[in-house]
Amino acid sequence: MDGLNPRKVFSLLFIIGIAVVFTLSFGPGSSGFGSTGPATTAPGSVAKVNGKEIPLRDFATAWARQMSFLRSQGSPIPESVARQFGMHNQVMDRLVNTELLAQAAEQRGITPSDEELRKLIHQNTDFHAKEGGFDFSRYQQVLRDFYRKTPQEFETELRRQLAAQKMIEVVRANAVVSDDEVRARYEKDGNQAKVVFARFLPTMFADKVTAPTPAQLADWKKAHEKEIKDYYEANRFVYQQPERIRARQVLVKLPPEATAEQKAEALKKAEALKKEIDGGKDFATVARESSEDPGSKARGGDLGWVERGSWEPALADAAFALTAGGVTQPVETKFGVHLVKVEEKQPAQDKKLEEVQDEIATTLYKQERAKELAKTEAEKALATVQGGKTLKELFPPEKEQPALLRFETETRPEAVETDSFTAEGEAVPHLGPAPALVKAAFAATGPQVLGETFPVGEGFVVAQVVERQKPDAVGFEAKKDTLRAQAQQAKQIEVTESFLKALKKNGNVVTNTEAIDSVVGAG
C-alpha cells in the first residue's frame, strides 16, 4: 500500500494514551490474568472478559504492531526473544484492560461523542491524502488493506478505546494531592548529598601477599577447619568432574520424521566427508564448509568441553572410546548423522577434601591477608585525607565518568564522584548498597571527610562529602509547583493501578494460551 508507515499506524494508540495507561497494573513478564485455558473461550478468541470475546485477529494485529514499533525504534528484537521478555503478556494486558475499561465506562454512562470520534480519525495522518488532509477513500483503503476491518468495525473498536481513555481520565480526576504531601515530597527529594569515594579491594593487593610457610599453613589449617570444609563444599564441582572430551563435529541434519531414503542419503554424505578427513583434509575446514549445525559451523565445528551425559548414548560411546585426535565413524542420532573429532580428553576426577585442603587453605590464607592489606591501605588513605589531601589528589581517576559498579576490573583505588542522591535508599551511585556510608553522609551538615572506613562487599571504602543540600523554606517555594505536578502524576498512576486491579479482581478474565502461542510461538 502506497506510503503506509507502520509506525504511523501504531501512533494511533499513543494519540489516545492507551499504550501507556494499559501497562501500569502489570509489569513485563506478568500475565495479569485471572485464569487461562482454551476450553472456556470461543474458537478464534484469545480471551474472554466478563463474557466478551477478544478475537485472535485483534491480538495478532496488536502483536504485529508491537514488533513493528520496536523495529521502527531501532530495536530489531526477534519475536522469540520478545516472547521470553513477556511482551506478548503486555500486548494481552492492553487488550484486556481496554475491554475492562470500556465496560466500566459503559456502566457509568461514559460515551464518546460522534464529534470526538470524527476528530480523532481525522487527526490520524495514515488517513490523509498525499497533499494533506483527511481523505475518505484513503481511509477506506487503509482499513481494508492494513487493519483488515470495515469502517463500522474500526469505528466501534476506536469508540471503545476512546471510552476506555475517558474512564481513565475520570479515575485520574480523583487523584488529589494535599499540601502536606507536596511538602513531604520536598523533604525527601530536597535532602541530598554528593560524595567522592575510593574503594580498596583485596584483589588490588593480592600480588603483594606471599604464600604461607609450611608452619603458617599448618597453623592456619588448624584454626580454620570449618572455612576450608565450607569452601570445598561450595566449590565441589571444581574437584569432582565427570570424564570430558573437547570435541568438534560435522553434522548432516535429518528432519524429525526422516524416511529411510533420507537417512541413507545423509549417511552417504557423512561417509564422503569422513573420507575427505581420512585423506588429510582439516576437520575444522570440513566443518566450516559442510556442517549443518548452525551453532558450531562458523567455529569449525568446535563444541568445547562435552560430558558423556550431554549426548545420546550411541554418539557418546563412539566419541569417548577414541583417543585424542581420533574421528568417529558416522553416527546417527535424532538430530542427524554426526562425525566427531576428539581434540583432548580429561579423565573423571573425584578429589577428596584431604587431597585439596592445602590448596584451599593457601587460597583462603592469601585472600585473608589481601583483605587485611586492603583495610590497612584504606585506613592510611583516610588518615591522609583527614590531614588535608583530597581523594582525587591521592587516587586520580582513570576515567572522568565511571561506569556503574565496574570495580570488579579495577586494579587500584580510584576517586569516584557520585551523582547527587537522597537518603531514601541504602545505595550509593556507582558503588551499590552501602547503608552505613549513606547514614554517615546524611549525618554530615556540609562537605567533610567521613571519619571511618566502610566495609562494602569484599572491600573497604573511604569517602568524603563534597556537597550537602538540605530542604529549606526558600527551596520549597522555588520547587513547589514542580513537586506538586510530580506528586499529582504519581498519585494518578497509583489510583489508575488500583482501579485496574479492582476491575480484574471483581471481573472474570479467561485467556486462551494455545491461541496466544499460535501467534507468538510456544515458550
Side-chain angles (χ1 to χ4, degrees):
M1 183 169 57
D2 285 346
L4 184 59
N5 185 336
R7 185 176 182 181
K8 291 181 181 178
V9 175
F10 193 78
S11 69
L12 178 62
L13 294 182
F14 283 89
I15 292 173
I16 60 175
I18 296 295
V20 175
V21 171
F22 292 169
T23 57
L24 290 176
S25 63
F26 296 91
S30 167
S31 67
F33 307 125
S35 58
T36 61
T40 52
T41 61
S45 296
V46 289
K48 182 189 292 184
V49 181
N50 296 325
K52 176 76 162 52
E53 304 283 349
I54 296 179
L56 175 64
R57 180 183 64 178
D58 288 359
F59 175 77
T61 300
W63 176 252
R65 288 176 183 167
Q66 178 79 44
M67 299 307 299
S68 294
F69 175 72
L70 291 173
R71 286 190 289 269
S72 73
Q73 298 298 304
S75 302
I77 301 175
E79 291 197 15
S80 58
V81 175
R83 191 193 196 289
Q84 290 175 10
F85 279 94
M87 290 185 183
H88 62 300
N89 289 329
Q90 295 181 32
V91 172
M92 277 302 305
D93 278 338
R94 287 196 284 268
L95 293 173
V96 168
N97 287 346
T98 299
E99 184 56 42
L100 284 168
L101 289 165
Q103 291 178 13
E106 185 178 7
Q107 292 169 3
R108 291 161 177 78
I110 300 172
T111 306
S113 68
D114 291 341
E115 177 57 25
E116 287 174 317
L117 187 65
R118 186 198 67 79
K119 183 178 179 181
L120 187 60
I121 292 173
H122 281 231
Q123 285 176 341
N124 188 353
T125 57
D126 290 322
F127 306 140
H128 290 188
K130 290 183 179 180
E131 56 274 12
F134 177 78
D135 182 85
F136 186 69
S137 61
R138 172 72 173 175
Y139 174 61
Q140 291 178 310
Q141 179 194 4
V142 171
L143 293 185
R144 181 185 68 246
D145 296 342
F146 189 83
Y147 286 88
R148 310 293 187 192
K149 293 179 183 293
T150 66
Q152 182 179 1
E153 290 172 334
F154 175 75
E155 289 164 17
T156 297
E157 178 183 318
L158 188 58
R159 192 183 294 275
R160 291 182 72 77
Q161 291 176 346
L162 191 52
Q165 177 62 19
K166 281 179 166 289
M167 185 70 253
I168 286 295
E169 291 170 358
V170 169
V171 173
R172 286 182 166 182
N174 294 319
V176 179
V177 177
S178 67
D179 290 342
D180 288 342
E181 288 175 299
V182 177
R183 181 170 289 279
R185 191 178 186 91
Y186 174 68
E187 293 290 338
K188 181 183 71 174
D189 294 347
N191 189 21
Q192 297 186 351
K194 181 184 289 187
V195 304
V196 172
F197 68 84
R199 192 179 189 195
F200 298 77
L201 293 171
T203 53
M204 297 175 183
F205 307 95
D207 58 351
K208 296 182 180 180
V209 178
T210 58
T213 65
Q216 288 174 324
L217 184 62
D219 290 342
W220 202 92
K221 283 166 54 180
K222 187 174 181 179
H224 298 83
E225 289 181 359
K226 183 178 186 305
E227 291 93 327
I228 294 171
K229 184 177 180 181
D230 290 346
Y231 183 94
Y232 173 79
E233 293 296 334
N235 297 276
R236 185 181 287 272
F237 67 95
V238 175
Y239 307 109
Q240 296 179 331
Q241 291 183 351
E243 181 184 9
R244 302 192 303 168
I245 58 172
R246 191 162 61 84
R248 293 180 185 271
Q249 83 158 343
V250 173
L251 174 66
V252 180
K253 291 181 70 174
L254 283 171
E257 304 296 331
T259 65
E261 290 77 13
Q262 288 173 315
K263 291 181 179 181
E265 186 64 28
L267 178 61
K268 183 179 178 181
K269 181 177 179 180
E271 288 172 340
L273 295 173
K274 176 66 162 60
K275 191 172 181 179
E276 291 182 28
I277 295 166
D278 291 343
K281 191 167 183 178
D282 180 59
F283 190 96
T285 300
V286 173
R288 275 189 287 269
E289 293 175 352
S290 304
S291 180
E292 297 173 2
D293 175 22
S296 66
K297 177 183 176 73
R299 302 193 305 271
D302 186 15
L303 300 174
W305 287 99
V306 179
E307 297 176 5
R308 179 184 288 271
S310 63
W311 279 354
E312 290 189 12
L315 185 60
D317 291 344
F320 279 79
L322 298 175
T323 57
V327 178
T328 66
Q329 295 296 323
V331 179
E332 182 186 325
T333 72
K334 63 183 179 182
F335 301 106
V337 181
H338 306 251
L339 295 174
V340 174
K341 180 181 180 181
V342 177
E343 305 236 313
E344 189 177 346
K345 297 189 73 171
Q346 278 188 354
Q349 63 176 26
D350 184 7
K351 294 182 179 179
K352 305 302 181 186
L353 175 60
E354 294 74 19
E355 299 177 66
V356 295
Q357 61 180 344
D358 283 0
E359 174 188 330
I360 294 174
T362 299
T363 297
L364 295 179
Y365 172 91
K366 294 178 74 172
Q367 288 178 354
E368 184 178 82
R369 295 294 177 267
K371 190 168 185 176
E372 290 172 357
L373 273 178
K375 184 176 182 180
T376 298
E377 292 300 316
E379 290 170 345
K380 287 180 183 178
L382 176 60
T384 305
V385 174
Q386 288 174 324
K389 288 279 190 178
T390 68
L391 285 172
K392 286 187 176 181
E393 291 173 326
L394 290 175
F395 309 105
E398 292 181 3
K399 300 178 182 178
E400 289 188 14
Q401 296 296 326
L404 181 63
L405 301 178
R406 63 182 179 86
F407 297 102
E408 65 273 14
T409 60
E410 277 193 311
T411 58
R412 66 173 183 83
E414 281 185 50
V416 178
E417 183 170 332
T418 73
D419 306 318
S420 294
F421 60 98
T422 70
E424 182 179 9
E426 296 186 338
V428 175
H430 309 302
L431 179 62
L437 198 162
V438 171
K439 183 177 179 180
F442 283 93
T445 57
Q448 67 178 70
V449 178
L450 299 181
E452 61 179 299
T453 60
F454 299 93
V456 178
E458 292 296 314
F460 299 89
V461 170
V462 177
Q464 55 189 141
V465 178
V466 292
E467 288 183 19
R468 185 71 176 87
Q469 176 183 320
K470 292 187 174 183
D472 55 32
V474 175
F476 177 68
E477 288 302 318
K479 295 183 177 181
K480 182 169 59 176
D481 291 342
T482 300
L483 290 170
R484 183 177 297 279
Q486 292 173 347
Q488 184 79 16
Q489 185 179 40
K491 181 63 73 68
Q492 288 174 345
I493 291 174
E494 181 183 338
V495 298
T496 300
E497 286 182 322
S498 297
F499 185 71
L500 285 167
K501 287 179 180 178
L503 291 179
K504 285 187 185 298
K505 181 179 179 181
N506 297 325
N508 181 21
V509 179
V510 181
T511 58
N512 185 341
T513 55
E514 290 184 6
I516 295 170
D517 289 344
S518 71
V519 175
V520 303

